[in-house]
Amino acid sequence: QKEVEQDPGPLSVPEGAIVSLNCTYSNSAFQYFMWYRQYSRKGPELLMYTYSSGNKEDGRFTAQVDKSSKYISLFIRDSQPSDSATYLCAMVPNDYKLSFGAGTTVTVRA
Amino acid sequence: NAGVTQTPKFQVLKTGQSMTLQCAQDMNHEYMSWYRQDPGMGLRLIHYSVGAGITDQGEVPNGYNVSRSTTEDFPLRLLSAAPSQTSVYFCASSYSPGAGEKLFFGSGTQLSVL
């Protein structure tokens, strides 16, 4: 069983819809939780990160962590065609070995 | 601002050939790493380094070698290429990923082994 599970999708939504992305994990040592966005043929870029349970907002993006359930989420409000990308969750314990989810490919239709 | 620079962008090898993927960063990051990305598998850590002269294995190190002689450079060597090494390779650097600091990724190298 992989340490981080993420539904690869693909996910297709109309413009303006709310996008909901999720990851589950098994390693209770994970302390930092991140979401990376990757456009086609590009390297991933950090979108959001958090280290505690609860919600964190940044514009149209909300990251949610539930450590008791080992579950993290990313919500994108008022989705735009420019949000079309692959979204990868990532987690790290207190060392250097990040674990990534498989990535969910999102398409926002104009 | 160059960030993380990877070369080459594309490479085709024959089985058994060796090659080196280059990675350089200009942000004075102590931490550098190599990932491979395969469909449905996400990013998997190959090797990483926490400073010049210090390297360690990640999740999938077999068939790859690394060295870190300077802070800026972290090349990845394929010793004897195999079709299973066909993948997209990303180099990434950070101040301190263990403290939640973000990784800066290069633009990737698409490698095909025939």
Side-chain angles (χ1 to χ4, degrees):
Chain A
Q1 183 186 2
K2 294 176 65 174
E3 280 193 317
V4 180
E5 298 284 352
Q6 182 177 7
D7 186 343
L11 195 60
S12 180
V13 300
E15 184 175 357
I18 295 175
V19 176
S20 174
L21 304 168
N22 310 297
C23 289
T24 59
Y25 63 96
S26 56
N27 187 351
S28 58
F30 286 138
Q31 295 191 18
Y32 296 95
F33 304 89
M34 291 149 277
W35 286 95
Y36 281 81
R37 179 173 61 193
Q38 185 178 22
Y39 290 114
S40 181
R41 301 187 184 280
K42 300 289 186 182
E45 293 180 312
L46 183 67
L47 191 60
M48 296 191 70
Y49 94 94
T50 184
Y51 59 89
S52 60
S53 286
N55 292 354
K56 181 177 181 179
E57 285 194 18
D58 184 0
R60 297 185 294 110
F61 299 89
T62 299
Q64 194 173 77
V65 175
D66 183 346
K67 287 187 176 181
S68 62
S69 300
K70 296 188 178 66
Y71 187 89
I72 71 170
S73 300
L74 177 71
F75 300 98
I76 308 173
R77 293 183 299 279
D78 187 25
S79 58
Q80 304 295 311
S82 59
D83 294 327
S84 297
T86 296
Y87 292 82
L88 301 108
C89 61
M91 310 175 188
V92 61
N94 58 356
D95 62 12
Y96 300 98
K97 297 182 179 180
L98 278 79
S99 292
F100 283 86
T104 301
T105 299
V106 175
T107 300
V108 180
R109 309 185 305 271
Chain B
N1 293 337
V4 179
T5 303
Q6 283 184 242
T7 56
K9 291 190 182 301
F10 302 94
Q11 183 71 48
V12 178
L13 292 177
K14 294 181 179 178
T15 297
Q17 287 185 315
S18 62
M19 78 157 296
T20 300
L21 278 64
Q22 301 291 344
C23 175
Q25 53 90 10
D26 61 358
M27 296 172 283
N28 203 31
H29 288 163
E30 290 296 329
Y31 176 88
M32 295 186 73
S33 56
W34 278 101
Y35 289 86
R36 58 177 291 173
Q37 187 172 36
D38 302 291
M41 302 293 290
L43 288 159
R44 291 183 291 170
L45 182 64
I46 303 171
H47 286 285
Y48 67 97
S49 168
V50 299
I54 306 170
T55 63
D56 205 349
Q57 296 181 352
E59 181 184 356
V60 288
N62 293 339
Y64 308 94
N65 269 0
V66 292
S67 60
R68 184 97 177 267
S69 57
T70 67
T71 300
E72 296 77 20
D73 300 299
F74 190 46
L76 178 72
R77 282 182 287 278
L78 279 69
L79 309 174
S80 177
S84 60
Q85 293 179 305
T86 293
S87 187
V88 181
Y89 291 84
F90 288 99
C91 178
S93 71
S94 174
Y95 286 110
S96 178
E101 294 286 341
K102 72 174 182 179
L103 285 176
F104 292 81
F105 283 86
S107 57
T109 296
Q110 190 164 336
L111 176 68
S112 294
V113 182
L114 306 178

